[in-house]
Amino acid sequence: MNIRHATDVAFVVFLFANLTFAEPGRNSLSACFDLTDSCEEWQAGFADYPAGQEMFYELTAQCTSDPTNLNRGFFLSGANHSDDLFMFIKHPVCGLKPSGAYEVEACVEILSKAPTGCIGVGGDPGAGVYVKFGASAIEPAPVLQPDGRLRMNVDIGQQSNSGSNAVVIGDIATGITDCFNQQYELKELQTAAPLAAQADENGLLWIFAAADSGFEGRTSLFFTHVRVHMHHRPTEKDKTENPTHDGGGKSGHEPHPWRDPFHVGQPARAFVRRAIGRLRCGKFSSAPTR
């Protein structure tokens, strides 16, 4: 075993010792999803447009994790003819406390080519497209409305406004100011405060990252990494039944110190990727909670 490999293995052991991955009914959970390496169990969707107009809106969703691709991640693209297009990716997380209340923090990394300070059709192509992060016990999905439009079944807010199930964490504007020289640039965005969410009766919670567009033109971006930290907050019933229970952490909000296990070498990457499979639904169906 060479020194690099030994260092990677030691780092992975450190990750597990620091509760990076979920166990059944655990009080806290931290995970990093590297979409440049795998999009497994991530799904894409679109909303806020007329049903049946997918071709007109040029809706595209594709996982581009092949190492031969220059830009990798979960690619989403659409032409915002409705001036309100919502594009999202979602993933289920299992093994939480059944019906448990959680505070969810997130760090979302994207590849965007929208420059700063440019004027586009019906808005700014960068500052007019808002990135959101959400969490819900209900699977986020577009639902056909009586007016023929597809709307989300969870509260995502409206463009620059947050909803009860999703919060605005920034926009897709890059540091590039040349409006005629668009090139992809990495951008990292974080939740400013924890998002309150509740797992369902089976201990399942859906997380999602999205772009909510107010720019009346075409928007294309890659979601490259999604990091989440979930911390259980006991209800009054929990406190009554177990007076010593403190929710697994200190009181008050302390920003989560983000760690990225995918910045280690390839042997450790493969090992960590397999371990993240423990978050998949069905893995904890017969496991007790605690």
Side-chain angles (χ1 to χ4, degrees), residues 59-106:
L59 303 182
T60 304
Q62 183 180 6
C63 178
T64 57
S65 58
D66 191 310
T68 60
N69 291 321
L70 179 62
N71 297 311
R72 302 203 305 271
F74 210 131
F75 176 74
L76 296 180
S77 183
N80 186 20
H81 299 300
S82 65
D83 194 28
D84 192 27
L85 183 63
F86 188 78
M87 310 187 294
F88 68 98
I89 57 173
K90 61 184 178 181
H91 190 289
V93 175
C94 296
L96 302 175
K97 289 182 178 292
S99 303
Y102 283 84
E103 291 184 345
V104 186
E105 295 175 271

Side-chain angles (χ1 to χ4, degrees), residues 247-269:
K250 300 178 181 179
S251 60
H253 170 57
E254 295 181 4
H256 181 67
W258 297 107
R259 296 191 302 270
D260 186 355
F262 295 97
H263 285 174
V264 297
Q266 193 64 35
R269 285 169 59 112

Side-chain angles (χ1 to χ4, degrees), residues 27 45 72 107 109 112 142 145 154 175 177 181 207 232 250 258 272:
N27 285 325
R72 302 203 305 271
C107 178
E109 186 181 82
S112 172
Q145 302 299 313
V154 293
T177 57
N181 183 25
I207 59 172
H232 179 251
K250 300 178 181 179
W258 297 107
V272 173

Side-chain angles (χ1 to χ4, degrees), residues 211-232:
D212 198 351
S213 180
F215 166 58
E216 210 169 331
R218 186 178 182 85
T219 294
S220 301
L221 75 158
F222 293 83
F223 286 96
T224 60
H225 290 83
V226 177
R227 304 169 180 85
V228 293
H229 176 72
M230 302 180 185
H231 180 74
H232 179 251

Side-chain angles (χ1 to χ4, degrees), residues 31-38 42 72-74 89 106-111 131 133 169 186-189 209 222-228 259-263 269:
C32 172
F33 297 94
D34 183 0
L35 302 178
T36 68
D37 188 60
S38 173
W42 283 90
R72 302 203 305 271
F74 210 131
I89 57 173
C107 178
V108 178
E109 186 181 82
I110 63 172
L111 270 174
V131 180
F133 174 82
I169 59 175
L186 276 173
K187 185 171 186 177
E188 187 177 274
L189 302 165
F222 293 83
F223 286 96
T224 60
H225 290 83
V226 177
R227 304 169 180 85
V228 293
R259 296 191 302 270
D260 186 355
F262 295 97
H263 285 174
R269 285 169 59 112

Side-chain angles (χ1 to χ4, degrees), residues 162-196:
S162 299
S164 60
N165 300 121
V167 293
V168 176
I169 59 175
D171 57 50
I172 69 168
T174 66
I176 300 170
T177 57
D178 185 348
C179 301
F180 302 98
N181 183 25
Q182 296 183 6
Q183 57 184 348
Y184 281 104
E185 182 175 277
L186 276 173
K187 185 171 186 177
E188 187 177 274
L189 302 165
Q190 299 182 18
T191 49
L195 172 66

